[in-house]
Amino acid sequence: MRVAVFSTKPYDKTFLEVANAGKHQLVYLEPRLDASTAFSAEGAKAVCVFVNDQLDANTLAILARQGVGLVALRCAGFNNVDLVAAEAMGITVARVPEYSPHSVAEHAVALMLTLNRKIHRASARVREGNFSLEGLLGFDMHGKTVGVIGTGKIGLCVTRILSGFGCKVLAFDPYPDNRCVDAGAKYVTLPELFDQSDIVSLHCPLTPQTHHLIDEKAIKTMRPGVMLINISRGAVVDTRAIIRGLKSGMIGSLGLDVYEEEENLFFRDLSSTVIHDDVFARLLTFPNVLITGHQAFFTHEAVSEIARTTLENISSFEDTGYAAHPISVERLA
Ligand code: NAD
């Protein structure tokens, strides 16, 4: 089957080629998929896309007219796809429900430890021959309270790692999981979690309910100086409110792997250009903010598994008319 692979990076090609083993005709395209690039899928029965491709009703309609029957996401989140429109047009949407929750959880903890012990600043200092410890004071993770919002696959891994550090884990999820309790977490209400946590770590999907879950009001109810980690999706936090929180000191430190407007920035080398996003540029000015460009998933294990499951979805759709890991409209409920 001919598959148009959008937002292709060299590493995507490397891993997808191995998983494909020559079975399907994969056409690699660098541009992001949106209504203006959807015509490049001409002749393909499937498109393969990533987190910042925009599959709104417009784009899906163009794909449907060209005979595309499958959208194979190379990721777990599917907030960038209009599932209702896809269903109405008879387009199957499939994803990679699980690849390596460890990759993402370990990155979340890496951000926590780096921010806490200021490793990024210490490393830069030592390279310049500056061995002063002024401003590098951290705290013991042991005994601290961490609020984990969203205790699915990744939240569970984070809970297990932090329990190992001797942290007290408070959890919030509309669907509590006993495995998290067994790992040492205590489920509480969101206000309780905000009130008691030294660190708040976000691991819920982006849905209408979680959009700007961390806003001005939520920040006001958090512990002054709280560390906030967002590794889920950018719009789960209201970035402007976060900046105000950082300026007032209510937020003591911030670790981000995702950003509300990341589709205009991430996954590209913009080091020789001017950043036009003033909100993002402001974030970069804080010494207590650490940002990575949506790389939490980026381990050998995770990327291999993403490629394997993506090809499984494509093959299964070709062989049976059904993807191995479809997403249905019901998942929006
Ligand atoms: P998952 O589906 O296993 O878990 C998500 C959990 O969030 C579920 O338990 C669900 O009940 C809970 N949830 C839903 N609504 C909630 C709400 N309003 N408040 C609190 N919890 C809520 O998903 P996962 O594999 O653990 O991934 C979680 C999210 O992490 C994904 O949706 C994606 O956005 C993000 N992610 C980021 C990266 C990255 O590289 N930065 C990689 C993978 C996933």
Side-chain angles (χ1 to χ4, degrees), residues 247-319:
K247 285 165 82 175
S248 70
M250 275 301 289
I251 296 176
S253 52
L254 173 71
L256 298 180
D257 186 52
V258 287
Y259 171 60
E260 277 187 271
E261 309 291 333
E262 70 176 49
E263 65 271 21
N264 299 322
L265 295 168
F266 288 3
F267 305 117
R268 272 171 293 165
D269 179 0
L270 301 178
S271 55
S272 304
T273 63
V274 170
I275 302 250
H276 288 279
D277 182 330
D278 290 346
V279 175
F280 188 77
R282 181 68 179 100
L283 280 176
L284 294 176
T285 65
F286 293 98
N288 49 350
V289 171
L290 185 58
I291 305 176
T292 51
H294 209 136
Q295 74 171 80
F297 72 98
F298 203 53
T299 65
H300 191 281
E301 291 78 1
V303 181
S304 303
E305 188 53 26
I306 287 171
R308 194 196 64 73
T309 310
T310 299
L311 266 302
E312 187 190 5
N313 276 327
I314 292 167
S315 293
S316 138
F317 181 78
E318 185 183 47
D319 297 344

Side-chain angles (χ1 to χ4, degrees), residues 76-77 79 95 97 99 101 104 149-155 172-175 202-207 209-210 213 231-233 257-258 294-298 331:
N79 52 285
R95 66 174 181 147
Y99 36 95
V104 187
I149 299 180
T151 55
K153 291 174 284 294
I154 296 167
F172 174 76
D173 194 305
Y175 303 98
L202 299 168
H203 302 288
C204 53
L206 174 61
T207 64
Q209 292 75 35
T210 62
L213 181 75
I231 207 145
S232 65
R233 285 291 182 265
D257 186 52
V258 287
H294 209 136
Q295 74 171 80
F297 72 98
F298 203 53
R331 284 201 61 101

